[in-house]
Amino acid sequence: MQRSQLVRPAAMFWGLTVFMPVGVPYLAALLMLAALLAAGGWRARVQRLRSNPMWWPVVAYVVWTLVVLALEPQYPQTPSNLAHGLRIAATVLMALALTRDEAIWALRGFLLMALFNIVLIAMFWVAVALKMYFPVLEVWRGVIFLIGNKSISNALLFTILGATAAVFGLQALSEHRPLRALPAFAVTLAVIVIITFSLPSRTSLLALLLVIPAACVHQWRGRLKVLALVLMAGGAIVAVGLWNSPAVQQKFELGVQELEQAQAGAVSEGSWVVRYYMYRDTGRMILDRPFTGWGIGGWTEQWHLRGPKLLADYNMPHNDFLWMGSQAGIPGALALLAIMLTGVWVAWRRDDLYGRYAFAAQLIALIATNANSALRDAQIGLSLLWMSTIYLRLAQEPGDSWRGLLPRRQAEPALSGDAPQPRRP
């Protein structure tokens, strides 16, 4: 294999492994870095990065992190927090450094594995219903069962798939192609079932409920009457779905109850109880030292001093902007926010189907970053950030940027609303 072709299989391997236990995406990230270094063409990749709107937000984030590292005290958690912070920047830059074809390989791996996992989950629960034995390999355990942050990551990845399918289905409906729309909406429905019952995640459900209307706004922003009708119809469908889904209602009712209990002073391991105390006490950390924070890795030590003793084992505040704000001050939080908002803005500016795919993926990443440590936690960030930035990278290519997704010369571009284009010589 020529050196210039090393990046494509490495990119696809990362896409294929995003659902697997965290050690495998770490391996994929290292292989991706090694492939980029070995493949050459560095000048073109650097030029691509330097001209990208994401470049300066990432540079500002890295520079401020290093400034705080030099100025503020260091802690036992400093090395790990620094590594995670720099990993965030490296993941974004590696995805944006890819050529269009290399990014397509990464996307191909993700979509292939996501669809395979839907089939796998369906087969497992059919086997359970029929009381048949179904072997579950360890690498798929976090896909089928709710097991810690890896399952949260997988639910968010399914949410990206569900949003992608919904965007494609809406485009097909607008083109009067219902036979295209129905399979796409079936995938979205399958994702809803997964993130409600198999990998229950309030963050993923909330993200999907917010992102699909946002995608409608993106699609029909120039046709307000059509947009109003679509949002009304979608709102009615969601209302009926929620009314007939006690499981979803119970999840959000439990969250409200946990929040009320926390405000009354109760301490427990409840999801929203934990977040209440984390957000409150981390906000106080930022107010106490707003400019440079407590130093890289300082959140954990401050949390041990301020937080409830029952919750002392946590090492991140379930919100990456609060994490950066506590350890690098308001400038650090704003630098991280600038990375995420720039991605949303770049996707919003492209007003076609491919911009809409990226817009949905970037919004999901932004929502997850506010509700979980979706970047700081490698179990989530190595996969979610990689795929959402791959979507963004493809949105920065002109024309049918998803062409060639199916590896057949005459295949119609998968998940594309456009007619197939002839290959350039």
Side-chain angles (χ1 to χ4, degrees):
M1 180 182 294
Q2 297 179 0
R3 287 196 309 159
S4 61
Q5 296 179 348
L6 289 174
V7 178
R8 293 188 299 179
M12 186 173 186
F13 180 68
W14 198 343
L16 285 168
T17 59
V18 291
F19 289 92
M20 294 186 179
V22 66
V24 186
Y26 258 124
L27 173 62
L30 293 174
L31 290 175
M32 184 77 257
L33 179 60
L36 286 169
L37 293 175
W42 300 334
R43 179 175 298 180
R45 295 190 192 277
V46 170
Q47 289 176 347
R48 187 179 300 120
L49 288 174
R50 291 289 301 273
S51 63
N52 198 296
M54 298 284 283
W55 170 254
W56 287 113
V58 173
V59 168
Y61 165 79
V62 172
V63 168
W64 188 251
T65 297
L66 297 178
V67 167
V68 171
L69 179 68
L71 294 178
E72 294 297 326
Q74 298 189 12
Y75 307 89
Q77 296 79 22
T78 297
S80 64
N81 276 261
L82 178 63
H84 287 303
L86 296 180
R87 170 187 53 76
I88 292 169
T91 301
V92 172
L93 293 179
M94 282 192 288
L96 295 178
L98 301 181
T99 65
R100 190 200 71 84
D101 287 342
E102 291 163 353
I104 282 292
W105 277 61
L107 178 64
R108 189 180 293 161
F110 164 66
L111 294 177
L112 178 64
M113 189 55 62
L115 293 173
F116 171 81
N117 284 336
I118 288 178
V119 174
L120 180 69
I121 292 170
M123 291 173 61
F124 172 80
W125 289 112
V126 167
V128 169
L130 297 176
K131 298 183 179 180
M132 298 171 57
Y133 173 70
F134 190 94
V136 178
L137 299 178
E138 189 62 32
V139 293
W140 305 122
R141 191 167 295 277
V143 173
I144 296 176
F145 305 110
L146 183 62
I147 303 174
N149 284 354
K150 187 58 205 173
S151 293
I152 294 174
S153 172
N154 291 340
L156 289 166
L157 291 169
F158 279 124
T159 304
I160 289 182
L161 176 69
T164 302
V167 165
F168 176 74
L170 291 170
Q171 179 72 22
L173 284 182
S174 69
E175 296 173 351
H176 307 290
R177 296 177 173 180
L179 294 181
R180 280 182 159 199
L182 288 176
F185 290 140
V187 171
T188 303
L189 180 60
V191 167
I192 293 173
V193 172
I194 289 171
I195 63 178
T196 302
F197 299 105
S198 188
L199 302 176
S201 169
R202 282 177 292 211
T203 300
S204 295
L205 283 169
L206 180 63
L208 205 57
L209 287 173
L210 293 176
V211 165
I212 292 178
C216 293
V217 174
H218 186 285
Q219 180 168 351
W220 287 290
R221 53 184 150 175
R223 302 170 63 188
L224 296 183
K225 290 184 179 179
V226 175
L227 176 61
L229 290 174
V230 170
L231 291 180
M232 290 173 60
I237 293 172
V238 170
V240 171
L242 292 176
W243 182 264
N244 290 281
S245 179
V248 175
Q249 296 175 28
Q250 290 170 3
K251 285 181 176 60
F252 287 99
E253 288 173 359
L254 176 61
V256 172
Q257 292 173 5
E258 290 175 348
L259 186 58
E260 292 173 346
Q261 292 169 1
Q263 290 174 331
V267 179
S268 71
E269 293 279 359
S271 177
W272 287 21
V273 173
V274 173
R275 282 170 173 79
Y276 172 82
Y277 286 107
M278 283 183 169
Y279 293 2
R280 185 196 68 180
D281 293 341
T282 305
R284 291 172 179 173
M285 295 180 204
I286 297 172
L287 291 176
D288 289 344
R289 302 192 67 173
F291 186 58
T292 58
W294 294 89
I296 305 303
W299 182 86
T300 304
E301 181 167 305
Q302 286 299 309
W303 174 246
H304 289 164
L305 295 174
R306 300 169 185 252
K309 300 303 180 185
L310 179 64
L311 308 178
D313 290 340
Y314 289 91
N315 63 0
M316 60 189 92
H318 285 46
N319 181 305
D320 285 321
F321 303 118
L322 292 177
W323 167 66
M324 277 301 293
S326 65
Q327 68 174 9
I330 293 175
L334 290 178
L336 183 60
L337 181 62
I339 294 173
M340 305 304 294
L341 291 183
T342 300
V344 173
W345 173 74
V346 169
W348 171 263
R349 287 184 61 196
R350 178 163 183 172
D351 61 355
D352 65 357
L353 180 65
Y354 308 102
R356 200 147 46 249
Y357 289 145
F359 181 63
Q362 288 291 305
L363 279 181
I364 290 169
L366 178 62
I367 292 167
T369 302
N370 278 278
N372 287 287
S373 294
L375 307 182
R376 157 65 176 84
D377 188 334
Q379 299 221 48
I380 306 175
L382 272 168
S383 299
L384 178 66
L385 184 60
W386 171 250
M387 289 317 309
S388 63
T389 312
I390 289 294
Y391 273 66
L392 183 66
R393 172 67 189 93
L394 288 170
Q396 294 173 327
E397 288 288 323
D400 180 3
S401 55
W402 282 36
R403 66 184 180 276
L405 183 61
L406 294 180
R408 293 181 295 168
R409 179 174 295 274
Q410 300 299 327
E412 185 176 2
L415 295 179
S416 167
D418 301 330
Q421 299 179 1
R423 289 179 174 267
R424 295 179 180 179

